[in-house]
Amino acid sequence: TPLEDFDIVAEESSGYENKELLELIIMSTEFLKDKYRRAFMLKEFEGLKYREIAEIESIALATAKIRVMRARKMIISTLKPYIKDMSK
């Protein structure tokens, strides 16, 4: 599922906090290199399959998976303090 790493927060948060977290995730993508941002947005917000991302970006399937994974890790690292506060 898209943004699956944030499921714990989603279950324990109100709608307002979910919206706020989503806005933070979107804002945090601005700090990613373009190649990671594009792959992440295509996967998580457009719901494309890795194969489709690879075709759009003209990259190998494995590269598409790696870019999305790295983007997720960077976003989680950036938002970790906020996520901890929300889950209390």
Side-chain angles (χ1 to χ4, degrees):
T1 51
L3 307 173
E4 61 194 17
D5 295 314
F6 301 101
D7 281 349
I8 292 171
V9 174
E11 290 172 9
E12 297 176 359
S13 302
S14 70
Y16 174 76
E17 289 171 327
N18 285 336
K19 183 178 178 183
E20 186 177 0
L21 179 58
L22 182 59
E23 289 173 1
L24 286 172
I25 292 168
I26 292 168
M27 286 174 42
S28 69
T29 63
E30 294 176 19
F31 299 103
L32 299 173
K33 290 183 179 180
D34 285 342
K35 64 183 181 180
Y36 298 118
R37 180 176 43 255
R38 284 192 308 267
F40 179 82
M41 298 300 272
L42 289 170
K43 178 68 177 162
E44 302 298 353
F45 291 95
E46 299 295 327
L48 298 183
K49 297 178 190 248
Y50 290 112
R51 183 188 80 258
E52 296 169 314
I53 296 167
E55 289 174 10
I56 290 169
E57 295 291 311
S58 300
I59 56 177
L61 177 62
T63 303
K65 291 179 180 181
I66 289 168
R67 286 183 183 178
V68 172
M69 178 196 68
R70 287 182 180 165
R72 285 178 181 155
K73 286 184 176 184
M74 288 183 259
I75 290 169
I76 289 169
S77 176
T78 301
L79 298 180
K80 192 173 280 190
Y82 181 77
I83 293 168
K84 285 182 180 178
D85 285 345
M86 286 185 68
S87 63
K88 289 181 181 179

